[in-house]
């Protein structure tokens, strides 16, 4: 009897959270918008191709609502790790130079994955929750590794831009 009451309480609590997020949360609406336009309509790789590195930083800003939802609304550490992992993996792929990152970014759907994870947690999808909880330690280790790799890719990109400027500058100055 007590177990049924606890289960009913959790279901009611999840249903209230889901309704509140869908009807009143601007953050949830922004997360849904980000998923739709950046992943479904592929604006993330397009921005990354037009504005390398800057586009990846810009799209990371659109990932902040997912982090907010995971930390403050769903209140799950493992979900937060999964969301950050997906964001950093997307950024890492997008930062690969020479347009390779932009091509890989087409297949990376971090916003869609994060949206599905948050919806899965809000709706109490046991398979999603179990998978995220199972991979939490791995993601907790991978996140700092991704941060280091992103740092070095940014340094590489800055170095390449500097090299290209040094290479082209004499020719441009001779034109004037």
């Amino acid at each position: 009897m007590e177990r049924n009451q606890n289960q009913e309480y959790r279901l009611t609590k999840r249903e209230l959270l889901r309704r509140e997020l869908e009807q009143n949360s601007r953050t949830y609406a922004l997360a849904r918008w980000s998923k739709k336009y950046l992943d479904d309509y592929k604006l993330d790789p397009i921005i990354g191709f037009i504005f390398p590195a800057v586009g990846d930083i810009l799209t990371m800003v659109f990932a902040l609502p997912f982090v907010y939802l995971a930390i403050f609304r769903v209140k799950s550490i493992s979900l937060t790790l999964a969301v950050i992992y997906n964001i950093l993996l997307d950024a890492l792929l997008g930062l690969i130079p020479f347009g390779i990152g932009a091509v890989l970014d087409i297949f990376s759907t971090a916003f869609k994955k994060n949206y599905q994870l948050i919806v899965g947690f809000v709706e109490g999808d046991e398979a999603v929750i179990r998978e995220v909880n199972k991979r939490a330690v791995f993601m907790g280790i991978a996140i700092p590794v991704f941060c280091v790799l992103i740092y070095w890719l940014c340094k590489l990109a800055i170095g390449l831009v500097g090299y290209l400027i040094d290479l082209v500058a004499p020719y441009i100055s001779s034109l004037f």
Side-chain angles (χ1 to χ4, degrees):
M1 176 109 172
E2 187 177 313
R3 186 173 188 183
N4 287 341
Q5 286 178 332
N6 284 341
Q7 198 171 25
E8 188 175 310
Y9 171 75
R10 280 184 287 172
L11 290 173
T12 304
K13 187 176 174 183
R14 282 191 179 125
E15 181 62 25
L16 289 173
L17 176 61
R18 186 184 64 75
R19 279 190 200 152
E20 198 276 323
L21 287 174
E22 288 179 354
Q23 295 172 359
N24 302 325
S25 175
R26 291 183 186 158
T27 308
Y28 189 77
L30 184 57
R32 188 175 35 232
W33 181 91
S34 298
K35 175 204 74 89
K36 180 179 180 181
Y37 288 98
L38 295 174
D39 275 350
D40 293 346
Y41 294 156
K42 303 295 184 196
L43 283 181
D44 181 21
I46 292 169
I47 293 168
F49 187 75
I50 295 171
F51 306 106
V54 175
D56 291 307
I57 293 168
L58 178 67
T59 57
M60 286 180 70
V61 170
F62 285 105
L64 292 176
F66 295 97
V67 176
Y68 173 83
L69 289 168
I71 293 172
F72 297 110
R73 300 309 301 262
V74 180
K75 298 177 183 173
S76 169
I77 293 171
S78 58
L79 176 61
T80 304
L81 289 172
V83 166
I84 293 170
Y85 172 87
N86 288 334
I87 293 165
L88 291 176
L89 179 60
D90 185 61
L92 183 63
L93 292 174
L95 285 170
I96 297 173
F98 308 114
I100 297 169
V103 171
L104 291 175
D105 217 2
I106 293 170
F107 303 104
S108 174
T109 55
F111 295 99
K112 186 180 286 187
K113 287 177 191 172
N114 286 340
Y115 183 76
Q116 290 169 344
L117 290 175
I118 288 170
V119 168
F121 265 74
V122 169
E123 293 180 352
D125 185 334
E126 294 297 326
V128 170
I129 294 169
R130 187 174 36 258
E131 182 64 28
V132 169
N133 288 337
K134 186 172 80 172
R135 297 191 58 203
V137 172
F138 167 75
M139 290 181 279
I141 294 168
I143 287 170
V145 172
F146 286 175
C147 289
V148 169
L149 291 173
I150 288 169
Y151 169 79
W152 285 107
L153 278 173
C154 286
K155 274 191 77 112
L156 174 67
I158 291 167
L160 283 172
V161 168
Y163 174 76
L164 290 173
I165 288 172
D166 290 344
L167 192 67
V168 175
Y171 298 109
I172 292 175
S173 64
S174 69
L175 294 174
F176 299 104

Coordinates of all heavy atoms in Angstrom, one line a residue, residues 65-125:
P65 N 20.4 26.5 -21.7 CA 19.1 26.1 -21.1 C 19.0 24.6 -20.8 O 18.4 24.3 -19.8 CB 18.1 26.5 -22.3 CG 18.8 27.5 -23.1 CD 20.3 27.2 -23.0
F66 N 19.7 23.8 -21.5 CA 19.7 22.4 -21.2 C 20.4 22.1 -19.8 O 19.9 21.3 -19.0 CB 20.3 21.5 -22.3 CG 19.6 21.6 -23.6 CD1 20.0 22.5 -24.6 CD2 18.5 20.8 -23.8 CE1 19.3 22.6 -25.8 CE2 17.9 20.8 -25.1 CZ 18.2 21.7 -26.0
V67 N 21.5 22.8 -19.6 CA 22.2 22.6 -18.4 C 21.4 23.1 -17.2 O 21.2 22.5 -16.2 CB 23.6 23.3 -18.4 CG1 24.3 23.3 -17.1 CG2 24.5 22.8 -19.5
Y68 N 20.7 24.3 -17.4 CA 19.8 24.9 -16.4 C 18.7 23.9 -16.0 O 18.4 23.6 -14.9 CB 19.3 26.2 -16.9 CG 18.2 26.7 -15.9 CD1 18.6 27.5 -14.8 CD2 16.9 26.5 -16.2 CE1 17.6 27.9 -13.9 CE2 15.9 27.0 -15.3 CZ 16.3 27.7 -14.2 OH 15.3 28.2 -13.3
L69 N 18.1 23.3 -17.1 CA 17.0 22.4 -16.8 C 17.4 21.2 -16.1 O 16.8 20.7 -15.1 CB 16.3 22.0 -18.2 CG 15.5 23.1 -18.9 CD1 15.1 22.6 -20.3 CD2 14.2 23.4 -18.1
A70 N 18.6 20.6 -16.5 CA 19.1 19.4 -15.8 C 19.5 19.7 -14.3 O 19.1 18.9 -13.5 CB 20.3 18.9 -16.6
I71 N 20.1 20.8 -14.1 CA 20.5 21.1 -12.7 C 19.3 21.6 -11.8 O 19.1 21.0 -10.7 CB 21.6 22.2 -12.7 CG1 22.9 21.7 -13.3 CG2 21.9 22.7 -11.3 CD1 23.9 22.8 -13.5
F72 N 18.6 22.6 -12.3 CA 17.6 23.2 -11.4 C 16.2 22.8 -11.5 O 15.4 22.9 -10.6 CB 17.7 24.8 -11.6 CG 19.0 25.3 -11.3 CD1 19.9 25.8 -12.3 CD2 19.5 25.4 -9.9 CE1 21.1 26.4 -11.9 CE2 20.7 25.9 -9.6 CZ 21.5 26.4 -10.6
R73 N 15.8 22.2 -12.6 CA 14.4 21.8 -12.7 C 14.3 20.3 -12.5 O 13.4 19.8 -11.8 CB 13.9 22.2 -14.1 CG 13.9 23.7 -14.4 CD 13.3 24.5 -13.3 NE 11.9 24.2 -13.0 CZ 10.9 24.9 -13.4 NH1 11.0 25.9 -14.2 NH2 9.6 24.5 -13.1
V74 N 15.1 19.5 -13.2 CA 15.1 18.0 -13.0 C 15.9 17.6 -11.8 O 15.6 16.6 -11.2 CB 15.6 17.3 -14.3 CG1 15.5 15.8 -14.2 CG2 14.7 17.8 -15.5
K75 N 16.9 18.4 -11.5 CA 17.7 18.1 -10.3 C 18.4 16.8 -10.3 O 18.3 16.0 -9.4 CB 16.9 18.4 -9.0 CG 16.4 19.7 -8.9 CD 15.6 19.9 -7.7 CE 15.0 21.4 -7.7 NZ 14.1 21.6 -6.6
S76 N 19.1 16.5 -11.4 CA 19.8 15.2 -11.5 C 21.3 15.4 -11.9 O 21.5 16.0 -13.0 CB 19.1 14.3 -12.6 OG 19.9 13.2 -12.9
I77 N 22.2 15.0 -11.1 CA 23.6 15.1 -11.4 C 24.0 14.3 -12.6 O 24.7 14.8 -13.5 CB 24.5 14.7 -10.1 CG1 24.2 15.7 -9.0 CG2 25.9 14.6 -10.5 CD1 24.8 15.3 -7.7
S78 N 23.5 13.1 -12.7 CA 23.8 12.2 -13.8 C 23.3 12.8 -15.1 O 24.0 12.8 -16.2 CB 23.3 10.8 -13.6 OG 22.0 10.8 -13.4
L79 N 22.1 13.4 -15.1 CA 21.5 14.1 -16.3 C 22.4 15.3 -16.7 O 22.7 15.5 -17.8 CB 20.1 14.5 -16.1 CG 19.4 15.2 -17.2 CD1 19.4 14.4 -18.5 CD2 18.0 15.7 -16.8
T80 N 22.8 16.0 -15.7 CA 23.6 17.2 -15.9 C 24.9 16.8 -16.6 O 25.4 17.4 -17.5 CB 23.9 18.0 -14.6 OG1 22.6 18.3 -14.0 CG2 24.7 19.2 -14.8
L81 N 25.6 15.7 -16.1 CA 26.8 15.2 -16.7 C 26.6 14.8 -18.2 O 27.4 15.1 -19.0 CB 27.3 14.0 -15.9 CG 27.9 14.4 -14.5 CD1 28.3 13.1 -13.8 CD2 29.2 15.3 -14.7
A82 N 25.4 14.2 -18.4 CA 25.1 13.7 -19.8 C 24.9 14.9 -20.7 O 25.4 14.9 -21.8 CB 23.9 12.8 -19.8
V83 N 24.2 15.9 -20.2 CA 24.0 17.1 -21.0 C 25.3 17.8 -21.3 O 25.6 18.2 -22.5 CB 23.0 18.1 -20.3 CG1 23.0 19.5 -20.9 CG2 21.6 17.5 -20.3
I84 N 26.2 18.0 -20.3 CA 27.4 18.7 -20.5 C 28.3 17.8 -21.4 O 29.0 18.4 -22.3 CB 28.1 19.0 -19.2 CG1 27.3 20.0 -18.4 CG2 29.6 19.4 -19.4 CD1 27.7 20.2 -17.0
Y85 N 28.3 16.5 -21.3 CA 29.1 15.6 -22.1 C 28.7 15.8 -23.6 O 29.5 16.0 -24.5 CB 28.9 14.2 -21.7 CG 29.4 13.1 -22.6 CD1 30.7 12.7 -22.4 CD2 28.7 12.6 -23.6 CE1 31.3 11.8 -23.3 CE2 29.2 11.6 -24.4 CZ 30.5 11.2 -24.3 OH 31.0 10.2 -25.1
N86 N 27.4 15.8 -23.9 CA 26.9 16.0 -25.2 C 27.3 17.3 -25.8 O 27.7 17.4 -27.0 CB 25.4 15.8 -25.3 CG 25.0 14.4 -25.1 OD1 25.7 13.4 -25.4 ND2 23.8 14.2 -24.6
I87 N 27.2 18.4 -25.0 CA 27.6 19.7 -25.5 C 29.0 19.8 -25.8 O 29.4 20.3 -26.9 CB 27.2 20.8 -24.4 CG1 25.7 20.9 -24.2 CG2 27.8 22.1 -24.7 CD1 25.3 21.6 -22.9
L88 N 29.9 19.3 -24.9 CA 31.3 19.4 -25.2 C 31.8 18.5 -26.3 O 32.7 18.8 -27.1 CB 32.1 19.0 -23.9 CG 32.0 20.0 -22.8 CD1 32.7 19.5 -21.5 CD2 32.5 21.4 -23.2
L89 N 31.1 17.3 -26.5 CA 31.4 16.5 -27.6 C 31.1 17.2 -28.9 O 31.9 17.2 -29.9 CB 30.7 15.1 -27.5 CG 30.9 14.1 -28.7 CD1 32.4 13.8 -28.8 CD2 30.1 12.9 -28.5
D90 N 29.9 17.8 -29.0 CA 29.5 18.6 -30.1 C 30.5 19.7 -30.4 O 30.9 19.9 -31.6 CB 28.1 19.2 -29.9 CG 27.6 19.9 -31.2 OD1 27.4 19.2 -32.2 OD2 27.3 21.1 -31.1
A91 N 30.9 20.4 -29.4 CA 31.9 21.5 -29.6 C 33.3 21.0 -30.0 O 33.9 21.5 -30.9 CB 32.1 22.3 -28.3
L92 N 33.7 19.9 -29.5 CA 35.0 19.2 -29.8 C 35.0 18.8 -31.3 O 35.9 19.1 -32.0 CB 35.2 18.0 -28.9 CG 36.5 17.3 -29.1 CD1 37.7 18.2 -28.8 CD2 36.6 16.1 -28.2
L93 N 33.9 18.2 -31.7 CA 33.8 17.8 -33.2 C 33.8 19.1 -34.1 O 34.4 19.1 -35.1 CB 32.5 17.0 -33.4 CG 32.5 15.6 -32.8 CD1 31.2 14.9 -33.0 CD2 33.7 14.7 -33.3
G94 N 33.0 20.1 -33.7 CA 32.9 21.3 -34.5 C 34.2 22.1 -34.6 O 34.4 22.8 -35.5
L95 N 35.1 21.9 -33.6 CA 36.4 22.7 -33.6 C 37.5 22.0 -34.5 O 38.5 22.6 -34.7 CB 36.9 22.9 -32.2 CG 36.2 23.9 -31.4 CD1 36.6 23.8 -29.9 CD2 36.4 25.3 -31.9
I96 N 37.2 20.8 -35.0 CA 38.2 20.2 -35.8 C 38.4 21.0 -37.1 O 37.4 21.4 -37.7 CB 37.8 18.7 -36.2 CG1 37.7 17.9 -34.9 CG2 38.8 18.1 -37.2 CD1 37.2 16.5 -35.1
P97 N 39.7 21.4 -37.4 CA 39.9 22.4 -38.5 C 39.7 21.8 -39.9 O 39.5 20.7 -40.1 CB 41.4 22.8 -38.2 CG 42.0 21.7 -37.4 CD 40.9 21.0 -36.7
F98 N 39.8 22.8 -40.8 CA 39.7 22.6 -42.3 C 38.3 22.1 -42.7 O 38.2 21.3 -43.7 CB 40.8 21.6 -42.7 CG 42.2 21.9 -42.2 CD1 42.9 21.1 -41.4 CD2 42.8 23.1 -42.7 CE1 44.1 21.5 -40.9 CE2 44.0 23.5 -42.3 CZ 44.7 22.7 -41.4
G99 N 37.3 22.5 -42.0 CA 35.9 22.1 -42.5 C 35.5 20.7 -42.1 O 34.3 20.4 -42.2
I100 N 36.4 19.9 -41.6 CA 36.1 18.6 -41.1 C 35.1 18.6 -40.0 O 34.2 17.9 -39.9 CB 37.4 17.8 -40.7 CG1 38.3 17.7 -42.0 CG2 37.0 16.4 -40.2 CD1 39.7 17.2 -41.6
G101 N 35.3 19.6 -39.1 CA 34.5 19.7 -37.9 C 33.0 20.1 -38.3 O 32.1 19.6 -37.7
A102 N 32.9 20.9 -39.3 CA 31.6 21.3 -39.8 C 30.9 20.2 -40.4 O 29.6 20.0 -40.2 CB 31.7 22.5 -40.8
V103 N 31.6 19.3 -41.1 CA 31.0 18.1 -41.7 C 30.6 17.1 -40.6 O 29.4 16.6 -40.6 CB 31.9 17.4 -42.7 CG1 31.4 16.1 -43.2 CG2 32.2 18.4 -43.9
L104 N 31.4 16.9 -39.6 CA 31.1 16.0 -38.5 C 29.9 16.6 -37.7 O 29.1 15.8 -37.1 CB 32.3 15.8 -37.6 CG 33.5 15.0 -38.2 CD1 34.7 15.0 -37.3 CD2 33.0 13.6 -38.6
D105 N 29.8 17.9 -37.6 CA 28.8 18.5 -36.8 C 27.4 18.2 -37.4 O 26.4 18.3 -36.7 CB 29.0 20.0 -36.8 CG 28.6 20.6 -35.5 OD1 28.2 19.9 -34.6 OD2 28.8 21.9 -35.3
I106 N 27.3 17.9 -38.7 CA 26.1 17.6 -39.4 C 25.5 16.3 -38.7 O 24.3 16.2 -38.5 CB 26.3 17.3 -40.9 CG1 26.6 18.7 -41.6 CG2 25.0 16.7 -41.5 CD1 27.1 18.5 -43.0
F107 N 26.4 15.4 -38.3 CA 25.9 14.1 -37.8 C 25.8 14.2 -36.2 O 25.3 13.2 -35.6 CB 26.9 13.0 -38.2 CG 27.0 12.9 -39.7 CD1 28.1 13.4 -40.3 CD2 25.9 12.4 -40.4 CE1 28.2 13.3 -41.7 CE2 26.0 12.3 -41.8 CZ 27.2 12.8 -42.5
S108 N 26.3 15.2 -35.6 CA 26.3 15.4 -34.2 C 25.0 16.1 -33.8 O 24.8 17.3 -34.2 CB 27.5 16.1 -33.7 OG 27.4 16.4 -32.3
T109 N 24.1 15.5 -33.1 CA 22.9 16.1 -32.7 C 22.7 16.3 -31.2 O 21.9 15.7 -30.6 CB 21.7 15.3 -33.3 OG1 21.8 13.9 -32.8 CG2 21.7 15.3 -34.8
A110 N 23.6 17.1 -30.6 CA 23.7 17.2 -29.2 C 22.4 17.8 -28.6 O 21.9 17.4 -27.6 CB 24.9 18.1 -28.8
F111 N 21.8 18.8 -29.3 CA 20.6 19.5 -28.8 C 19.5 18.5 -28.8 O 18.7 18.5 -27.9 CB 20.3 20.7 -29.7 CG 21.3 21.8 -29.6 CD1 22.3 21.9 -30.6 CD2 21.4 22.6 -28.5 CE1 23.3 22.9 -30.5 CE2 22.3 23.6 -28.4 CZ 23.3 23.7 -29.4
K112 N 19.3 17.7 -29.9 CA 18.3 16.7 -29.9 C 18.4 15.7 -28.8 O 17.5 15.3 -28.1 CB 18.3 16.0 -31.3 CG 17.1 15.1 -31.5 CD 17.1 14.5 -32.9 CE 16.7 15.5 -33.9 NZ 16.6 14.9 -35.2
K113 N 19.7 15.2 -28.6 CA 19.9 14.2 -27.6 C 19.6 14.8 -26.2 O 19.0 14.1 -25.4 CB 21.4 13.7 -27.6 CG 21.8 12.9 -28.8 CD 23.3 12.6 -28.8 CE 23.7 11.9 -30.0 NZ 25.2 11.8 -30.1
N114 N 20.1 16.0 -26.0 CA 19.8 16.6 -24.7 C 18.3 16.8 -24.4 O 17.8 16.6 -23.3 CB 20.6 17.9 -24.5 CG 22.1 17.7 -24.3 OD1 22.5 16.6 -23.9 ND2 22.9 18.7 -24.6
Y115 N 17.6 17.2 -25.4 CA 16.2 17.4 -25.3 C 15.5 16.1 -25.0 O 14.6 16.0 -24.1 CB 15.6 18.0 -26.6 CG 14.1 18.3 -26.5 CD1 13.7 19.4 -25.8 CD2 13.2 17.5 -27.1 CE1 12.3 19.7 -25.7 CE2 11.8 17.8 -27.0 CZ 11.4 18.9 -26.3 OH 10.1 19.1 -26.2
Q116 N 15.9 15.0 -25.7 CA 15.3 13.7 -25.4 C 15.6 13.2 -24.0 O 14.8 12.6 -23.4 CB 15.8 12.7 -26.5 CG 15.2 13.0 -27.8 CD 15.8 12.2 -28.9 OE1 16.9 11.6 -28.8 NE2 15.2 12.1 -30.1
L117 N 16.9 13.5 -23.6 CA 17.2 13.1 -22.2 C 16.4 13.8 -21.1 O 15.9 13.2 -20.2 CB 18.7 13.3 -22.0 CG 19.7 12.4 -22.7 CD1 21.1 12.9 -22.4 CD2 19.5 11.0 -22.4
I118 N 16.2 15.1 -21.3 CA 15.5 15.9 -20.4 C 14.0 15.4 -20.4 O 13.4 15.2 -19.3 CB 15.6 17.4 -20.6 CG1 17.0 17.8 -20.2 CG2 14.5 18.2 -19.9 CD1 17.4 19.2 -20.7
V119 N 13.4 15.2 -21.5 CA 12.0 14.7 -21.6 C 11.9 13.3 -21.0 O 11.0 13.0 -20.2 CB 11.6 14.7 -23.1 CG1 10.3 13.9 -23.2 CG2 11.4 16.1 -23.6
G120 N 12.9 12.5 -21.2 CA 12.9 11.1 -20.6 C 13.0 11.2 -19.1 O 12.3 10.4 -18.5
F121 N 13.8 12.1 -18.6 CA 13.8 12.2 -17.1 C 12.5 12.8 -16.6 O 12.0 12.3 -15.5 CB 15.0 13.1 -16.7 CG 16.2 12.3 -16.3 CD1 17.0 11.7 -17.3 CD2 16.6 12.1 -15.0 CE1 18.1 11.0 -17.0 CE2 17.7 11.4 -14.7 CZ 18.5 10.8 -15.7
V122 N 12.0 13.8 -17.2 CA 10.7 14.4 -16.7 C 9.6 13.4 -16.8 O 8.8 13.4 -15.9 CB 10.4 15.7 -17.6 CG1 9.0 16.2 -17.3 CG2 11.4 16.8 -17.3
E123 N 9.5 12.6 -17.8 CA 8.4 11.6 -18.0 C 8.7 10.3 -17.2 O 7.9 9.5 -17.2 CB 8.2 11.4 -19.5 CG 7.6 12.6 -20.2 CD 7.3 12.4 -21.7 OE1 7.7 11.3 -22.2 OE2 6.8 13.3 -22.3
G124 N 9.9 10.2 -16.7 CA 10.2 9.0 -15.9 C 10.5 7.8 -16.7 O 10.3 6.7 -16.3
D125 N 11.0 8.0 -17.9 CA 11.4 6.9 -18.8 C 12.5 6.1 -18.2 O 13.7 6.5 -18.1 CB 11.8 7.4 -20.2 CG 12.1 6.3 -21.2 OD1 12.4 5.2 -20.8 OD2 11.9 6.6 -22.4

